[in-house]
Amino acid sequence: MVMKLTAVCLVALALFGSFGAAQKPQKPSDPYIKKPSDPQQQKQTFEKDLDWKYPEDPQPEPKVDVPFELRFPVAASTVDVECREDVAHVEVKKDMFGTGQFIDPADLTLGTCGVIAEDSSAQVFIYQSPLHECGSTLVMSEDSLIYTFVLNYNPKPLGSSAVVRTSQAAVIVECHYPRKHNVSSRPLDPLWVPFSAVKMAEEFLYFTLKLMTDDWMYERPSYQYFLGDMIHIEATVKQYFHVPLRVFVDRCVATLTPDSNSIPRYAFIENHGCLLDAKITGSDSKFLARTEENKLLFQLEAFRFQGADSGLLYITCHLKATSTSYAIDSEHRACSYIGGWREASGVDGACGSCESGGIDVYTPSAVAPGVSSIGTGVGVTGGSGSSGSSGGTNAADVVKRKYRDLSQAEVFEWEGDVTLGPIPIGERKISEMKV
């Protein structure tokens, strides 16, 4: 009985062992079945190195030590007096103030008497009066009889403008028997704090106006000028990341205050780049021939407003810039009157409509909108524009970007107003003379 039970137990253990062996995983015997491998990572590389980088911010131009010395005018010896036995004989040079600008004899009288003769070879006007006539006065001193005349110079505005390039003068003419006389014109020395304003358009586009030295090499350190001087002005557009641009001075107006709408005012550039001053007043004001497309140079003969005592001028110009790929036309030009209309780039045909332009057409409704940045030193005002109009009241709305149709192509242009000043214009003196 015991042996039967033992046999049964052995058989059960044998069956259990075979069942456990059947449950144990076996390695694959097929050589074509492979264990999956881990994914492999590779570093990506470029075929060539990247050469792009962020553009650098624009840096201000370094200040240059300009070799400049302000030249003060020397008193002009242009009045000659001869005290004869019974008459006062006065000769006055046509260039009375030594500026190269001839005076109109109708503007100059000896007391109440006008010019009696003209010496063309000596370039003088001749005045002569008996000692007791032409409004003379007699003063008796201890030693002398003194006959006094007043040589009155009262200039009229030039042409149809409201400007004068010589100031009023009262020259005292005294005949002492035998003493001296004195001639002077009472010069005015104004005080000022110079500044210039600069406008910046969108995408690092700058418009600037600068006063330049006589050789056009440097920015002029002094704003002081005298009647008869030539004011050299450089208009510039700094394009930075733009395509090449060409700058134009569309219009300019001179005023006594920074407000370009103030009275009196003198629009010396009008009608899309026509410099009218030479035609109106006979001056030597003109645009210079272009040497760089993003710069435009022009000169303006110094003047004062008739009856204005301050002698200060502010110049406000409306500047434009277009791509150099677009042609110069009747709305984008720089025309000067030099015995006829001449264009700074040689395209004289674009100046044909300058004859139809007038003067001083600035009215509150006609002036382009904008705000000038005004202060001591150089102020930079940034702005961003868009195609079409823009609203708002801050300085960012000063410069606009627009386009016009030209041969079925969109011509983008940028524009802005720049104010330069105050520019003091001093008078010239006539030297003291003795007889």
Side-chain angles (χ1 to χ4, degrees), residues 81-247:
V81 181
E82 182 181 352
C83 295
R84 298 177 180 175
E85 183 176 351
D86 58 348
V87 297
H89 181 88
V90 181
E91 295 184 0
V92 182
K93 289 185 179 179
K94 293 181 179 180
D95 184 9
M96 181 177 176
F97 293 90
T99 63
Q101 185 87 22
F102 285 2
I103 64 172
D104 186 346
D107 297 337
L108 183 66
T109 60
L110 180 63
T112 58
C113 299
V115 63
I116 64 169
E118 175 184 343
D119 188 342
S120 299
S121 60
Q123 296 290 304
V124 298
F125 298 118
I126 299 174
Y127 297 81
Q128 188 166 289
S129 169
L131 296 178
H132 296 281
E133 297 181 12
C134 296
S136 67
T137 60
L138 171 62
V139 176
M140 298 181 63
S141 67
E142 183 178 353
D143 300 322
S144 303
L145 293 175
I146 303 173
Y147 293 91
T148 303
F149 299 84
V150 179
L151 192 63
N152 289 305
Y153 179 64
N154 219 349
K156 295 188 294 291
L158 296 170
S160 55
S161 69
V163 304
V164 292
R165 287 199 165 89
T166 51
S167 56
Q168 291 184 351
V171 181
I172 306 300
V173 177
E174 296 180 345
C175 281
H176 293 222
Y177 291 91
R179 294 293 299 271
K180 64 180 181 179
H181 72 273
N182 179 274
V183 182
S184 66
S185 63
R186 297 182 180 179
L188 175 66
D189 296 325
L191 299 176
W192 74 97
V193 179
F195 73 89
S196 64
V198 181
K199 291 300 173 192
M200 182 185 74
E202 58 181 310
E203 302 173 50
F204 297 109
L205 188 67
Y206 288 79
F207 287 114
T208 62
L209 281 181
K210 294 180 181 179
L211 296 179
M212 304 298 290
T213 54
D214 292 346
D215 58 3
W216 298 97
M217 295 292 293
Y218 305 98
E219 185 176 0
R220 197 175 193 266
S222 173
Y223 276 35
Q224 175 70 62
Y225 291 89
F226 297 89
L227 289 173
D229 288 347
M230 199 65 68
I231 303 174
H232 296 115
I233 302 176
E234 178 189 90
T236 307
V237 57
K238 297 184 179 181
Q239 53 205 24
Y240 291 103
F241 310 119
H242 278 271
V243 296
L245 296 177
R246 182 184 294 124
V247 67

Side-chain angles (χ1 to χ4, degrees), residues 303-320:
F303 62 87
R304 293 166 64 112
F305 284 98
Q306 186 182 32
D309 295 329
S310 69
L312 300 180
L313 290 182
Y314 291 81
I315 295 176
T316 301
C317 294
H318 186 74
L319 306 184
K320 285 183 178 179

Side-chain angles (χ1 to χ4, degrees), residues 151-411:
L151 192 63
N152 289 305
Y153 179 64
N154 219 349
K156 295 188 294 291
L158 296 170
S160 55
S161 69
V163 304
V164 292
R165 287 199 165 89
T166 51
S167 56
Q168 291 184 351
V171 181
I172 306 300
V173 177
E174 296 180 345
C175 281
H176 293 222
Y177 291 91
R179 294 293 299 271
K180 64 180 181 179
H181 72 273
N182 179 274
V183 182
S184 66
S185 63
R186 297 182 180 179
L188 175 66
D189 296 325
L191 299 176
W192 74 97
V193 179
F195 73 89
S196 64
V198 181
K199 291 300 173 192
M200 182 185 74
E202 58 181 310
E203 302 173 50
F204 297 109
L205 188 67
Y206 288 79
F207 287 114
T208 62
L209 281 181
K210 294 180 181 179
L211 296 179
M212 304 298 290
T213 54
D214 292 346
D215 58 3
W216 298 97
M217 295 292 293
Y218 305 98
E219 185 176 0
R220 197 175 193 266
S222 173
Y223 276 35
Q224 175 70 62
Y225 291 89
F226 297 89
L227 289 173
D229 288 347
M230 199 65 68
I231 303 174
H232 296 115
I233 302 176
E234 178 189 90
T236 307
V237 57
K238 297 184 179 181
Q239 53 205 24
Y240 291 103
F241 310 119
H242 278 271
V243 296
L245 296 177
R246 182 184 294 124
V247 67
F248 299 90
V249 181
D250 194 62
R251 57 184 180 268
C252 284
V253 60
T255 54
L256 292 173
T257 70
D259 181 7
S260 61
N261 295 320
S262 61
I263 302 294
R265 60 176 174 261
Y266 174 46
F268 57 90
I269 298 179
E270 265 294 358
N271 196 16
H272 302 300
C274 299
L275 207 164
L276 305 172
D277 186 67
K279 185 169 179 60
I280 296 170
T281 68
S283 69
D284 195 32
S285 301
K286 62 183 178 180
F287 287 105
L288 273 68
R290 276 191 194 268
T291 56
E292 299 178 68
E293 296 294 351
N294 69 321
K295 292 183 180 180
L296 185 59
L297 310 178
F298 64 99
Q299 62 185 31
L300 175 67
E301 190 171 340
F303 62 87
R304 293 166 64 112
F305 284 98
Q306 186 182 32
D309 295 329
S310 69
L312 300 180
L313 290 182
Y314 291 81
I315 295 176
T316 301
C317 294
H318 186 74
L319 306 184
K320 285 183 178 179
T322 64
S323 170
T324 56
S325 61
Y326 297 111
I328 294 173
D329 58 18
S330 60
E331 294 184 9
H332 302 82
R333 58 192 177 183
C335 298
S336 306
Y337 188 81
I338 311 172
W341 290 102
R342 300 289 183 267
E343 210 281 329
S345 298
V347 189
D348 296 343
C351 302
S353 60
C354 282
E355 285 293 338
S356 62
I359 64 166
D360 201 14
V361 297
Y362 272 64
T363 62
S365 60
V367 177
V371 180
S372 294
S373 173
I374 299 170
T376 302
V378 177
V380 179
T381 302
S384 60
S386 59
S387 180
S389 61
S390 60
T393 58
N394 55 25
D397 297 323
V398 173
V399 180
K400 296 183 179 180
R401 184 182 184 184
K402 64 180 182 179
Y403 65 89
R404 60 189 176 88
D405 184 73
L406 179 65
S407 302
Q408 299 179 349
E410 289 183 348
V411 180

